[in-house]
């Protein structure tokens, strides 16, 4: 079975503090992993994917196959980062999403 | 910029009624998909399509039908609505291969 776990439903950090949103996956094959974000009153949109190894809006995520994790990190949180974040796993043609983490950045 | 157009935004149905949620994209994506979002459950894949004429089941397909007669359109049909189908539905285009997934605005469906 393929599953994605985001253990934190809610996460609050102060502006300027580091933030880490956790994602663990369960998949026996070679995973394709993504982070999607939904800002208030906006559509769900891609934030980053592990294969491109890029940093978007200061966020990075490293795939750790040993720990089966794909945690999202940012060294200095900004107020505009407040949003709902979803980790997603693509296996073949099927996407599996985590339950999401609502991030609030406190000014 | 059109991207993904999903209609309607809101819908209330009575138990047993049928309806179709529309989804259209103008990005020439082969891959399209439908999800439902329930509290505490995240997004769950209902059906997906890898091209015109090709559809397949996702994680929660029961009670839903899809078809893909053109690349642009991927409607989701509820055959006989049940209260358990009360949810927010999202259509997405792309996301497989090198394409980014673009989501529709969502449909909030209530079945009474």
């Amino acid at each position: 079975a393929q599953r994605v776990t985001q253990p934190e439903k809610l996460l609050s950090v102060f502006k300027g503090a580091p933030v880490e949103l956790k994602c663990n996956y369960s998949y026996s094959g070679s995973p394709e992993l993504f982070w999607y974000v939904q800002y208030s009153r906006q559509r769900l949109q891609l934030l980053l994917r592990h294969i491109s190894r890029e940093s978007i809006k200061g966020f990075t995520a490293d795939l750790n196959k040993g720990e089966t994790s794909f945690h999202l990190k940012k060294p200095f949180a900004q107020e505009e980062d407040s949003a709902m974040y979803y980790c997603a796993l693509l296996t073949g043609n099927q996407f599996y999403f985590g339950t999401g983490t609502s991030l609030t950045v406190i000014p | 910029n059109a991207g993904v157009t999903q209609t309607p935004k809101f819908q209330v149905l009575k138990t047993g009624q049928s309806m179709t949620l529309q989804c259209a994209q103008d990005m020439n994506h082969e891959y399209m998909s439908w999800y439902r979002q329930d509290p505490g459950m995240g997004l769950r894949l209902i059906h997906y399509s890898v091209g015109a004429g090709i559809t397949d089941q996702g994680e929660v397909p029961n009670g839903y039908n899809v078809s893909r007669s053109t690349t642009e359109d991927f409607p989701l049909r509820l055959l006989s609505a049940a209260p358990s189908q009360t949810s927010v539905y999202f259509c997405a285009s792309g996301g497989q291969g090198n394409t980014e997934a673009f989501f529709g605005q969502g449909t909030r469906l209530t079945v009474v």
Side-chain angles (χ1 to χ4, degrees):
Chain A
Q2 298 83 28
R3 292 289 183 266
V4 177
T5 303
Q6 292 180 252
E8 303 134 331
K9 264 191 176 178
L10 303 170
L11 184 63
S12 296
V13 299
F14 285 100
K15 178 182 174 181
V19 61
E20 181 181 52
L21 289 81
K22 291 185 167 53
C23 172
N24 287 90
Y25 66 92
S26 173
Y27 179 51
S28 56
S30 191
E32 282 192 67
L33 287 151
F34 307 80
W35 277 98
Y36 283 85
V37 60
Q38 188 169 28
Y39 301 102
S40 180
R41 296 191 189 89
Q42 293 188 27
R43 302 183 184 201
L44 196 62
Q45 58 188 278
L46 177 67
L47 180 61
L48 53 81
R49 63 178 80 187
H50 90 273
I51 58 173
S52 55
R53 294 180 167 271
E54 56 196 347
S55 172
I56 303 293
K57 299 185 179 182
F59 284 98
T60 59
D62 291 318
L63 175 60
N64 186 323
K65 289 188 178 181
E67 296 182 357
T68 59
S69 68
F70 188 55
H71 303 327
L72 184 68
K73 300 176 184 178
K74 185 169 182 176
F76 308 103
Q78 303 298 315
E79 288 177 67
E80 55 265 30
D81 296 329
S82 294
M84 192 74 178
Y85 291 80
Y86 293 95
C87 182
L89 167 70
L90 176 63
T91 67
N93 293 322
Q94 298 213 27
F95 272 95
Y96 295 87
F97 281 80
T99 51
T101 298
S102 177
L103 173 66
T104 301
V105 179
I106 305 164
Chain B
N1 53 354
V4 179
T5 303
Q6 181 182 339
T7 57
K9 262 189 176 180
F10 303 95
Q11 184 71 50
V12 178
L13 289 178
K14 292 183 179 178
T15 297
Q17 285 185 318
S18 62
M19 80 159 294
T20 300
L21 280 66
Q22 301 291 344
C23 180
Q25 55 103 355
D26 61 2
M27 296 170 283
N28 205 33
H29 288 151
E30 295 293 332
Y31 187 85
M32 294 184 75
S33 49
W34 275 101
Y35 303 84
R36 58 177 291 171
Q37 184 182 40
D38 301 294
M41 303 289 289
L43 279 78
R44 290 182 292 169
L45 181 65
I46 304 171
H47 284 285
Y48 65 93
S49 169
V50 296
I54 307 168
T55 64
D56 208 343
Q57 296 180 350
E59 201 178 351
V60 288
N62 293 342
Y64 308 95
N65 268 2
V66 291
S67 59
R68 186 92 180 272
S69 55
T70 66
T71 300
E72 293 77 21
D73 299 296
F74 189 44
L76 177 73
R77 278 181 283 278
L78 280 72
L79 309 171
S80 178
S84 60
Q85 293 178 304
T86 293
S87 187
V88 180
Y89 292 85
F90 290 96
C91 171
S93 177
Q96 198 197 33
N98 289 324
T99 64
E100 174 181 338
F102 290 88
F103 283 81
Q105 63 187 358
T107 298
R108 188 172 293 275
L109 174 68
T110 303
V111 183
V112 298

